[in-house]
Amino acid sequence: MAHFAQMPKLTDTMEEGVIVKWMVKVGDTVSPGQQIAEVETDKAVMPMEAFDAGTVLQLIAQEGKPVPLGGPIYVLGAPGEKLPEGSPAPAATAAPQPAAASASPAQSAEPKAEKPDAKTEPPAVAPGISAKRLLVSPIAGRMAADAGIDLYTVTGSGPAGRIIKRDIEAAIQKKDAKAPAVSKASTLKDLTMMRKTVAKRLSKAWSEIPHFFLEREVDATAMRQLQKTLKEELPDAHISLNDILIKCSAYALTKVPDCNVSWTEAGIEQHEAVHVSVAVALEDGLITPVVRNADGKTVMAIAQEVRALAQKAKERRLQPEEYSGGTFSISNLGMFGIDKFTAIINPPEAMILAVGKVEPKPVVVDGQVVVRDRLCLTLSCDHRVVDGALGAKFLAELTQAIEHPLRMLVV
Amino acid sequence: MNFDLIVIGSGPGGYVAAVRASQLGLKTAIVERETDLGGVCLNWGCIPTKALLTASGLLQRLGTPGDLGLTGEIKGDYGAVMKRSRQVVKRLTMGIAALMKAHNVTVLHGQGCVEGPGKVTVTTADSQQPFESRFILLAAGAKAREIPGVSIDGDIVLSSKEILALEKQPESLLVIGGGAIGVEFADFYASMGTKVTLVEAKPRILPLEDEDVSALLSKLFQKRGMELMPGTTTASVVKQKNGLARAELVGPDGTHASVEVEKVLVGIGVSPNVSGLLAEGVSVETGPGGFVKVGASFETSLPGVFAIGDLIGAPLLAHAASQEARAAVGGLAGRQEPWPEPDNCPGCVYTHPEIASVGQTEAALKAAGTPYKTGKVQFRASGRAQAAGEVEGFVKVLVDPTYHSLLGAHLIGAGVSELIAPLVVMKTAELSVEDMMAVTFPHPTLSEAVYHALSDSVGLRTD
C-alpha cells in the first residue's frame, strides 16, 4: 500500500528538517537502511535512511525547503500504485531548481467548447511543499536566478500562466520597494539552521541558569615553556596551548569531581567520566565537539582529536555522538586578542571556562617585579549545582596544573 | 438582455472579438455602418494595398527581365490592377460575413452608438433600434487625420480610402506623409509610372523605423526617380483653374517651395472614430490624440464598455487589434488571458524591398541608456538572395548583452515581412540567441540570414 514517509527526528532538539539533497529519484527501489537523502537538522547535515522497502513513487519535499517533523517527505509503495489520499498533484521533480526554465511555451490546446467561468487555480498546498507546475521563459528563469527570486512566488502573466520577463521585473521592483522600509545601512539575512539553534539554546541557558563568574589570572610561563618544548620535540603533533588547557581542565575535574555534574529536576547528576566540549567557531555560529574521556588521553591525542573534530565541524559533518555528552566546556578567544571574557554555560553542563590570551606582564615574585606570561581564566558556574567555594576549588586545582604541569604526572 | 456582447466595428479587431466571444459561449452581435464587413484593413487598407503592391512589385522586378535571362516586355494596366484589388477585397468581405454566420454572430447594419453602460442603439437611414447587452466592445477604428490647411475633398486631396477608388492613374502625385501608408502608395504609383513627390515632416522618411532601414529605402526610392523631401511640411493645397493642385511646402530651413501635381494623397496618421460612437452626455476618458483610454483589461472609464484596436492608439496595426480582441474578450468572459506586449508587436512595410521590424530601434536604446550588442547580415552575402537576384537589404538584430535576449530586429529586403516571424517568436517566447542557434534553419533561404545575424550578435558567425 502506498504510504507517506515522514520527516524523522534525527536529533533530540530538532523541530524541522531541510532536504539538502535527494539521493534517489522517482522509480528507484529502496531497501531498509539505504540512505535516501541528506537532511540538514538544527545541529548538522545528516544522512536519512529508508525505514521500509519499496519503490519511490513521489518525492514531495523540495530540496532547500524546510519540512516540519512528521511532515510527509516522500511516498513509498509498489510500482505503478495509486498515490495515497492527500498527495499533492504529481508535479514536484527530484531536484527542482528555482532557475529551471521550461522551454515549452505552448500549453496543450484548449477544448473546443469552453465555459467562461472558473479560472483554474493550482491545488492548495502545505507551506514548504510545492505542487504547482512551473512554466517559465528561458530569459525569465535566468533573471529570477540572478535576482534570487523564488519562481514559486511569482504569478505568470504569459500564456497559460507562463512566467515571463515582465513578471520577474515586477517581482524585483516589489522586492526593492520593500527593502527601503529598513534603514539604508541594514539588510535582512535569512536565519540558518545553526544560527536558529544557537539562538534558541543560549537564550534558554542564559535565562534559566543562574550564572556566576569566577576570575583568576594564572601564570602561563610553565605552560608556554611546555608547549615550546613539545613543538621542538614533536613538531608534527602541532600541540596548542588550548590542547594543554583541555588536559589540565580534565585533570582538575578528576580532582574536584563535585564540579563534574548536571542539574536535573530529579536531582544532581554526577558524571563518572570527564568529557570536555571544545567550542569551535563557524561562519554562521558555533558548535562544541566533545573530547571524550579527556582525562585519560595524552595531550598529543587530545591535539589530534580536536583538530579532526574541528575540521569535521567546519564541514558540517559532525555526528550527534560527537557533539553531545560533554560534562564541561572550554572556550578560547585568546587568538582573537581577547584579554578575558565571560561565557554562557552549555546545558546540561555545570561550568564553562573562558580563556583569554597569554600576555607577558609585570608581576611581583618574592618581592621583585619580574615579567611573566600571564593568562586570564573566567569560570562560569551554574549556581544550582556549583557554589562559589566549589568553583574556586576547581580553579585552584586548574591553576596548579597549569602552573606546574609536571604535577599531573605525579599526583 | 438581448446579447452578452455587442461589438461595434467589424475590422480585424471587431470580427476577431466576435468570433472569440462566440467560442466562449457568449451571445454576440456585431455592428457595422459600412456596407461590407472587414473594416479599413480589409476594404481600404492592408488588403487592397497589398494586392496593388504585388502587381507593381512584379512590374518593377520584371522591368529588366533580361537580368534573369527572360525576354519580353511587361506593362502595367492601372485600371485592371485596381479592379483586381477590389475583387480580392470583395472575396474577403464575403468571407467575413460567412465567418460571422458560422459562429452565430448577429450582424447589425448601421451606426452603433453607446447610450450608457449595457445600452447600444443601431441607427440606419430609416430606423433606430435599441439593444441591451452585458458587455460592449468598441472596435470602431480610425480614419485619416487631416492637416490644417489641407482638407480632404475627395477631388484633388485624397486619403487612402479615396485613392483606392481612383479609376484614372494620375500623371503626378504628391504624397504627404513618409510613414508606412505614404511610402507604400509612393512605391506603387512610382512603379506604375506616376511622377511621385514624397514629403515628410520629420528629418527622414519612415521616422519610426530604424535609421539604417530608412536610409536604404530613401536611397533606393531616389534611384527610381522619386523625389523625397524630408523635414518638409505642407502649408496649403489649392485647386488651380487648370484642374491641377498647387501645394505650398515649407522646407527644413523655412524655405518655401511650390509644386503642381494632379493629385495629393494625405497619409500623415489617423484619428480615432469616436464621433457618433457615444450618445450625447455619454463620454469615455480619452488621452493624447483623442484615443480612448483603457485599463489593463481593455475596459474604458465606462463600466462594462471595452475598447481595442486603432480606437485606443498604438500600435495602430491590424494584428495588434486582433490580439487585443482575444485578450479583452477572454478577460471579460472571466478567463485569465495574457495581455499583449506592444514591444513584441511586429510592423511591416510592403514596399519593394519590404521592411519589417519588432522591438526597439537603436536610437531608442541609446536614448534610454540600454546596453546592447548588434548583429548584422547583408543579403548580398546570402546565397539565396544572390540566386534570386534580390540583394538589397539586411537583417539587423539588437541583443541584450547579459541574457542575449532580443531587444529589437530590423529587416529590409525582399520578402522580409515573412522573415520577421521567427524573430517575433524569439522575442515573445523570450528565447536567447543560444536557444535560436540550436534551431536548424533551412538552406538555401533568406531566413538563414536571421540565424547568421543572431550568431553575429554574440560573435559566433560562421558564414
Side-chain angles (χ1 to χ4, degrees), chain A residues 68-263:
Chain A
L69 259 197
I73 39 174
Y74 64 98
V75 178
L76 215 56
E81 226 184 320
K82 202 171 83 132
L83 294 172
E85 280 278 309
S87 288
T93 55
Q97 301 289 335
S102 162
S104 55
Q107 186 60 316
S108 54
E110 301 155 338
K112 280 274 146 134
E114 290 161 303
K115 290 267 163 66
D117 48 27
K119 308 174 198 177
T120 43
E121 295 264 57
V125 291
I129 298 172
S130 175
K132 192 160 70 123
R133 182 154 165 245
L134 267 187
L135 287 177
V136 198
S137 84
I139 302 296
R142 289 179 55 194
M143 284 176 70
D146 287 351
I149 304 263
D150 179 357
L151 287 171
Y152 285 92
T153 63
V154 179
T155 310
S157 69
R162 187 166 184 253
I163 296 170
I164 53 180
K165 187 163 156 234
R166 65 185 175 206
D167 303 321
I168 303 298
E169 284 168 345
I172 291 172
Q173 267 204 333
K174 221 167 63 165
K175 200 172 163 206
D176 290 345
K178 273 201 208 153
V182 186
S183 78
K184 229 180 166 184
S186 54
T187 54
L188 210 58
K189 260 168 64 180
D190 284 325
L191 291 172
T192 60
M193 294 289 289
M194 169 154 285
R195 179 52 54 197
K196 273 195 215 171
T197 308
V198 166
K200 217 163 70 162
R201 293 194 76 244
L202 292 179
S203 296
K204 195 157 180 269
W206 191 246
S207 60
E208 286 180 9
I209 303 174
H211 283 64
F212 71 92
F213 311 97
L214 299 172
E215 263 180 45
R216 187 153 176 173
E217 194 185 87
V218 303
D219 193 300
T221 314
M223 192 173 68
R224 271 278 221 173
Q225 189 52 55
L226 174 60
Q227 193 211 5
K228 243 169 89 186
T229 309
L230 291 172
K231 192 165 170 185
E232 285 160 22
E233 293 180 9
L234 302 165
D236 297 326
H238 297 297
I239 292 165
S240 70
L241 283 177
N242 208 47
D243 299 324
I244 299 169
L245 279 169
I246 291 168
K247 177 72 183 175
C248 296
S249 304
Y251 170 83
L253 275 172
T254 62
K255 289 286 164 204
V256 189
D258 284 345
C259 286
N260 198 29
V261 293
S262 288
W263 165 263

Side-chain angles (χ1 to χ4, degrees), chain A residues 15-39:
Chain A
E15 281 166 16
E16 60 180 15
V18 176
I19 304 281
V20 172
K21 191 165 140 208
W22 280 110
M23 323 277 278
V24 296
K25 56 188 192 301
V26 173
D28 286 353
T29 42
V30 298
S31 33
Q34 177 181 345
Q35 186 182 357
I36 52 167
E38 284 182 353
V39 176

Side-chain angles (χ1 to χ4, degrees), chain B residues 91-138:
Chain B
R91 219 175 289 142
L92 290 169
T93 59
M94 281 163 45
I96 301 287
L99 195 63
M100 294 298 101
K101 191 156 174 218
H103 284 90
N104 291 314
V105 176
T106 308
V107 179
L108 303 166
H109 283 284
Q111 169 74 54
C113 184
V114 180
E115 302 291 330
K119 290 183 164 62
V120 174
T121 50
V122 179
T123 310
T124 60
D126 36 62
S127 72
Q128 193 175 74
Q129 275 187 291
F131 294 97
E132 281 196 357
S133 175
R134 265 209 295 153
F135 301 109
I136 300 170
L137 182 78
L138 307 175

Side-chain angles (χ1 to χ4, degrees), chain B residues 408-455:
Chain B
H410 304 277
L411 285 65
I412 176 167
V416 297
S417 62
E418 304 288 353
L419 246 58
I420 192 81
L423 290 163
V424 184
V425 172
M426 178 187 177
K427 192 162 196 299
T428 311
E430 297 181 356
L431 302 173
S432 65
V433 169
E434 285 73 19
D435 290 323
M436 292 297 280
M437 286 183 67
V439 175
T440 308
F441 279 70
H443 172 84
T445 59
L446 298 174
S447 71
E448 276 178 284
V450 166
Y451 185 95
H452 294 309
L454 288 170
S455 56

